[in-house]
Amino acid sequence: VLIDTGFGLRDVRHARQRLSRFFRTLNGIRLDEAETALRQIERLGFSAGDVRHIVLTHLDFDHAGGVEDFPGAAVHLLEAEWQAATAGRHGFIATRRYRPAQWDAGIDWRRYRPGGEGWFGFDAARGLDGLPPEILLVPLPGHTPGHCGVAVRANGDWRLLAGDAYFDLREMQPNPRCTPGLRLYQRMMETDRTARLANQARLRALARAETGAIDLFCSHDATELLRHAAAPA
Ligand SMILES: [Zn+2]
């Protein structure tokens, strides 16, 4: 099971066609084939065919770019995100953040709506097709309409990948802060400010209340990445 795919092989090889010039320039994206999910799992001794499920936090260009590198995988996400990236793809940011060329090649989509039992006070989508109950979607809208966290329970402990619900680990501290650039970027990318800030506040409260019980991290904080890179798989 892969959670988010980052950039894929085709993004590295055909960046001009697949990614918008706006984001390539603004974010200073440096593409490296060795960093794609496929090459990383190959270094762990697996192959593309071993990936049978991909769970996505959302469909932004920097999260879903590698889905086509795993043609045998079912791709799980919230219905609201699929709608936003297809039917709702209008305007300057939406047409540049969602890049259908990254995921228009016969993807086996599995789309969900939240419902039933929640998770630590958050809504949840449980019972993902073919996946154990220890993997569930936790809707965290605001960054995009169908953005979600992915909760995974392993060895009795929960981990929550919060995706792009925050960008800087200091935003999870009691006095939240981040760099001005990241503050600006998050505002530019948000589709619902009220929901985004409310979800960030709820995650902050969760981090405070469940210290030690839930390992919370986001998609873009380098310190959090290094903390997990050092841990055994
Ligand atoms: Zn992102």
Side-chain angles (χ1 to χ4, degrees):
V1 180
L2 202 55
I3 299 177
D4 279 359
T5 60
F7 295 111
L9 287 186
R10 293 174 181 82
D11 297 319
V12 176
R13 292 169 184 167
H14 311 289
R16 284 204 171 84
Q17 292 94 312
R18 305 242 315 173
L19 304 172
S20 79
R21 190 160 81 161
F22 176 72
F23 282 115
R24 277 191 291 125
T25 308
L26 179 73
N27 296 351
I29 294 167
R30 282 177 295 173
L31 295 160
D32 179 354
E33 181 171 330
E35 290 186 349
T36 61
L38 177 59
R39 295 293 181 245
Q40 289 193 54
I41 67 150
E42 284 173 349
R43 285 199 296 278
L44 293 171
F46 300 102
S47 65
D50 292 323
V51 175
R52 288 177 290 131
H53 299 274
I54 295 171
V55 184
L56 293 177
T57 59
H58 61 309
L59 277 169
D60 268 357
F61 63 96
D62 54 331
H63 295 256
V67 291
E68 291 175 352
D69 291 337
F70 305 94
V75 180
H76 308 261
L77 81 173
L78 287 182
E79 170 73 25
E81 186 63 9
W82 192 82
Q83 291 293 340
T86 53
R89 186 174 170 267
H90 309 293
F92 185 88
I93 295 295
T95 52
R96 285 163 179 78
R97 77 188 313 170
Y98 294 131
R99 307 301 281 177
Q102 291 179 322
W103 34 261
D104 61 359
I107 304 294
D108 179 12
W109 298 107
R110 309 292 170 94
R111 290 138 53 184
Y112 305 91
R113 293 173 205 274
E117 192 192 344
W119 183 84
F120 288 95
F122 289 79
D123 287 342
R126 296 172 180 270
L128 309 184
D129 294 343
L131 288 171
E134 289 81 10
I135 302 178
L136 50 106
L137 306 180
V138 179
L140 299 169
H143 178 68
T144 64
H147 177 272
C148 68
V150 181
V152 178
R153 188 178 189 145
N155 305 322
D157 293 324
W158 284 103
R159 289 178 178 187
L160 179 67
L161 169 63
D164 288 1
Y166 68 96
F167 276 63
D168 181 325
L169 69 86
R170 294 174 302 168
E171 290 176 290
M172 290 296 103
Q173 294 171 356
N175 293 313
R177 60 204 166 93
C178 70
T179 64
L182 283 178
R183 184 174 303 117
L184 209 64
Y185 190 75
Q186 292 186 80
R187 288 184 75 134
M188 183 186 75
M189 298 303 283
E190 71 195 6
T191 58
D192 182 335
R193 175 166 307 160
T194 307
R196 181 176 73 81
L197 296 178
N199 280 321
Q200 217 175 65
R202 293 169 76 210
L203 288 172
R204 206 174 292 125
L206 180 74
R208 215 182 155 91
E210 303 292 341
T211 312
I214 300 174
D215 181 9
L216 173 67
F217 54 102
C218 71
S219 294
H220 290 291
D221 185 281
T223 306
E224 290 180 336
L225 173 66
L226 291 173
R227 176 157 58 86
H228 289 89

